[in-house]
């Protein structure tokens, strides 16, 4: 069916960063763009249309496939749009100094919004935008510390303790793995675990992973304290875009305790049994305990995941057999004395 005979498609259109939307209909991308530019008094040359949802540019090929009443953003030359998260980013940029105007704008967006995912994002935003995120000490934000022992005087201090507690629990599980080896190999197993413990103590049990004040390569959050879910063990990212800031309020602090540091190669099913077997079958070879240390206690094998992304199924992943034992150092070749002719 030709475009001339088809019923015009209707869209909701707005300009970049504008909350006002208006309806526009047309039988082609060019017609909708022309009408939109006319209504918004913008130049047609260099302008284009993008889906509000994900930033996809509306072209002639996609025009008739787009759902009716799709929301569009009209961009002029040099402007960009990355989807509705761009709206969220605008509010995040003022989290350090939230003001009534920003909160009111977010509430207006939420009031007009009907898509469930965007409703959730905007609701989460409103739940945190007015919180005292920048506050760090007990004196600056007393409600955040409700229910915690008086020894915790800063948010970062408590969250370091929280991370350390998790890592210590992993160490206890590894230590209990000594029961998997015979009595003759148990001493060697515990010696290796002792080496791991010494390394953990030197690294303060990797507690910096939850500390927003730590260096970039040593923490899992932004400098403001935002953590993002890294997705289930078998995918590269979180499709639900789970995020949380446990520094924002007491409720978020408590909720963050349900997030998991998940072992991609499973601790109980794979890493600890492989370590025990390596000690038992060593036959004079030196077990590479630092390889197991990285799998058990570092981000080489740990992913921070929202409870909904924490799959309880068997991962069916294994340790690398070629890395279980240390590679013997190659013998040094003797240097022959240079003969003079």
């Amino acid at each position: 069916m030709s475009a001339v005979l088809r019923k015009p498609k209707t869209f909701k259109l707005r300009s970049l960063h504008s909350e006002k939307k208006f309806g526009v209909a047309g039988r082609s991308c060019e017609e909708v763009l022309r009408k939109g530019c006319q209504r918004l008094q913008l130049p047609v040359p260099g302008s284009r249309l993008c889906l509000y949802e994900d930033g996809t540019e509306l072209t002639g090929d996609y025009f008739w496939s787009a759902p009716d009443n799709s929301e569009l953003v009209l961009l002029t030359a040099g402007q960009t749009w990355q989807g509705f998260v761009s709206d969220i980013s605008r509010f995040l940029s003022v989290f350090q100094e939230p003001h009534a105007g920003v909160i009111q704008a977010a509430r207006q967006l939420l009031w007009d919004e009907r898509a469930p995912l965007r409703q959730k994002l905007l609701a989460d935003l409103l739940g945190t935008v007015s919180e005292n995120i920048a506050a760090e000490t007990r004196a600056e934000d007393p409600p955040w510390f409700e229910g915690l022992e008086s020894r915790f005087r800063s948010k970062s201090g408590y969250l370091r303790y929280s991370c350390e507690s998790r890592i210590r629990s992993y160490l206890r599980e590894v230590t209990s793995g000594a029961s998997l080896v015979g009595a003759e190999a148990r001493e060697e197993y515990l010696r290796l675990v002792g080496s791991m413990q010494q390394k953990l103590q030197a690294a303060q049990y990797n507690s910096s992973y939850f500390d927003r004040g730590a260096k970039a390569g040593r923490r899992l959050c932004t400098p403001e304290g935002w953590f993002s879910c890294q997705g289930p063990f078998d995918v590269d990212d979180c499709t639900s875009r789970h995020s949380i800031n446990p520094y924002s309020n007491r409720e978020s602090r408590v909720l963050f305790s349900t997030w998991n540091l998940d072992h991609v190669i499973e601790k109980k099913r794979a890493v600890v049994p492989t370590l025990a077997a390596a000690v038992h079958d060593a036959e004079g070879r030196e077990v590479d305990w630092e390889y197991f240390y990285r799998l058990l206690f570092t981000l080489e094998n740990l992913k921070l995941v929202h409870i909904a992304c924490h799959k309880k199924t068997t991962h069916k992943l294994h340790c690398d057999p070629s890395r279980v034992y240390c590679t013997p150092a190659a013998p040094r070749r003797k240097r022959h004395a240079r003969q003079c002719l």
Side-chain angles (χ1 to χ4, degrees), residues 188-216:
E188 174 63 10
Y189 181 93
L190 292 175
R191 185 188 71 80
L192 297 178
V193 174
S195 297
M196 296 185 198
Q197 184 174 10
Q198 289 180 1
K199 192 176 179 77
L200 279 174
Q201 288 173 340
Q204 298 182 319
Y205 289 87
N206 294 328
S207 56
S208 63
Y209 290 162
F210 289 179
D211 181 3
R212 64 180 176 180
K215 293 181 179 179

Side-chain angles (χ1 to χ4, degrees), residues 224-238:
E224 295 75 31
W226 284 96
F227 291 83
S228 296
C229 175
Q230 296 175 318
F233 74 92
D234 53 353
V235 298
D236 293 331
D237 201 1
C238 172

Side-chain angles (χ1 to χ4, degrees), residues 6 15 63 183 211:
R6 285 184 171 181
S15 61
F63 181 81
D211 181 3

Side-chain angles (χ1 to χ4, degrees), residues 86-106:
S86 296
D87 267 340
I88 306 301
S89 296
R90 283 196 297 144
F91 296 119
L92 293 179
S93 66
V94 295
F95 264 10
Q96 292 297 329
E97 298 182 24
H99 52 80
V102 173
I103 296 174
Q104 180 57 38

Side-chain angles (χ1 to χ4, degrees), residues 14 78 93 289:
R14 65 176 179 135
S93 66
W289 64 266

Side-chain angles (χ1 to χ4, degrees), residues 18 21 25 29 36 51 138 161 193 214-215 217 227 259 290 322 340:
S18 172
K21 310 170 191 175
C29 184
L51 292 179
R138 184 181 287 267
Y161 166 79
V193 174
K215 293 181 179 179
F227 291 83
W259 284 49
E290 292 195 76
S322 68
C340 297

